[in-house]
Amino acid sequence: MEIKFAPSILSADFTRLGDQVWTTRKNGAQYVHIDVMDGTFVPQLSFGDPVIRSLRPATDQVFDVHLMVEHPETYIHRMAECGADSITFHLEAAKDPAAIIRAIREEGKQVGISVKPKTDISAIRPYLSLIDLLLIMTVEPGFGGQAYIPSSTEKIAAARSMFKEAGLDTDIEVDGGINLTTVDTVLEAGANVIVAGSAVYGGDIAKNMAAFQKHFDKWKQENGQV
Ligand code: DX5
Ligand code: ZN
């Protein structure tokens, strides 16, 4: 499957957000991962519509919005309106996941469901054929810079098998603690959309991007994907 790279702006320098995002674009990132946090579903508040709207003209990358909020149904229209291409909500926060999926589709956007580390992966079974993306949290959601939870690997592999058995090649995204040391593990397990926050935005962004790209090229070569 095609590898897509999604640097998370949660770790960016917000005084230079547009320039920093453009640096990831120039260096091969197809997606911008946008963490919307409400201070309730997760402890931290991040940013919302105005920031996303002002960033929209700065790049043509896919805006991959990750909603870490209670009542996700109330965010769908505003996220679509301010520039999201893909909207991912947490299964744990959704009272009626099927209705939220429909609402995202009605906006003409890609649909993602996310699960926290402690949520059993079988919980996504009813939605397999209804989504474009499964986002498996590989840390507890809420903060950048945490360490990858090793038991996530098994979960990614289980999800990939579930999609395969259903005849689907749906994107599996991983988020949290991904760096040059952990990325091979998630790729081998079956993830193909890779989020990285601190490993991209911490330090020299162009250099970090180049290191990831080199790593992906090598992985593709070794796995017959070139
Ligand atoms: C955490 C967010 C992540 C975060 C990842 O709850 O969903 O997207 O930015 O940060 P790193 O890559 O530093 O773990
Ligand atoms: Zn995220």
Side-chain angles (χ1 to χ4, degrees):
M1 289 184 79
E2 193 195 340
I3 299 173
K4 295 157 195 160
F5 197 39
S8 164
I9 58 170
L10 193 62
S11 294
D13 174 351
F14 294 117
T15 65
R16 296 184 292 158
L17 186 57
D19 287 348
Q20 292 205 336
V21 167
W22 189 246
T23 304
T24 71
R25 160 72 169 81
K26 274 193 312 202
N27 289 279
Q30 301 93 332
Y31 285 24
V32 181
H33 185 78
I34 300 177
D35 290 302
V36 175
M37 302 174 168
D38 67 352
T40 305
F41 182 73
V42 290
Q44 198 172 211
L45 258 180
S46 58
F47 43 74
D49 327 19
V51 172
I52 302 171
R53 189 176 296 113
S54 71
L55 187 62
R56 186 63 281 186
T59 181
D60 56 359
Q61 287 154 294
V62 172
F63 273 19
D64 167 35
V65 172
H66 175 195
L67 292 176
M68 280 165 277
V69 299
E70 299 287 358
H71 309 294
E73 65 282 356
T74 63
Y75 289 73
I76 306 307
H77 177 66
R78 18 208 291 225
M79 290 298 118
E81 189 270 324
C82 69
D85 296 301
S86 164
I87 303 175
T88 296
F89 64 93
H90 267 270
L91 195 56
E92 301 85 359
K95 288 202 182 69
D96 186 351
I100 301 175
I101 293 170
R102 278 197 302 277
I104 300 173
R105 289 259 176 254
E106 275 163 25
E107 296 287 351
K109 305 300 173 190
Q110 300 275 295
V111 177
I113 285 187
S114 183
V115 286
K116 298 207 275 186
K118 292 193 185 88
T119 301
D120 198 297
I121 197 65
S122 62
I124 61 136
R125 205 175 274 285
Y127 312 105
L128 287 182
S129 65
L130 304 176
I131 59 177
D132 303 299
L133 174 86
L134 170 67
L135 168 51
I136 297 181
M137 286 307 301
T138 47
V139 297
E140 282 300 332
F143 301 95
Q146 305 180 73
Y148 178 80
I149 298 174
S151 59
S152 312
T153 310
E154 226 174 279
K155 214 166 160 181
I156 300 161
R160 182 51 76 206
S161 303
M162 281 164 69
F163 282 123
K164 274 207 180 120
E165 280 160 25
L168 299 163
D169 64 350
T170 306
D171 285 339
I172 296 181
E173 182 172 40
V174 284
D175 184 7
I178 307 297
N179 52 42
L180 292 171
T181 311
T182 52
V183 70
D184 282 349
T185 311
V186 296
L187 288 169
E188 271 154 31
N192 68 304
V193 184
I194 308 298
V195 177
S198 46
V200 171
Y201 283 104
D204 186 327
I205 299 168
K207 224 172 167 178
N208 294 338
M209 279 297 305
F212 268 105
Q213 291 305 337
K214 203 169 147 200
H215 206 88
F216 292 140
D217 287 344
K218 187 165 162 265
W219 194 88
K220 284 191 253 176
Q221 244 160 29
E222 287 169 3
N223 290 274
Q225 290 192 9
V226 174

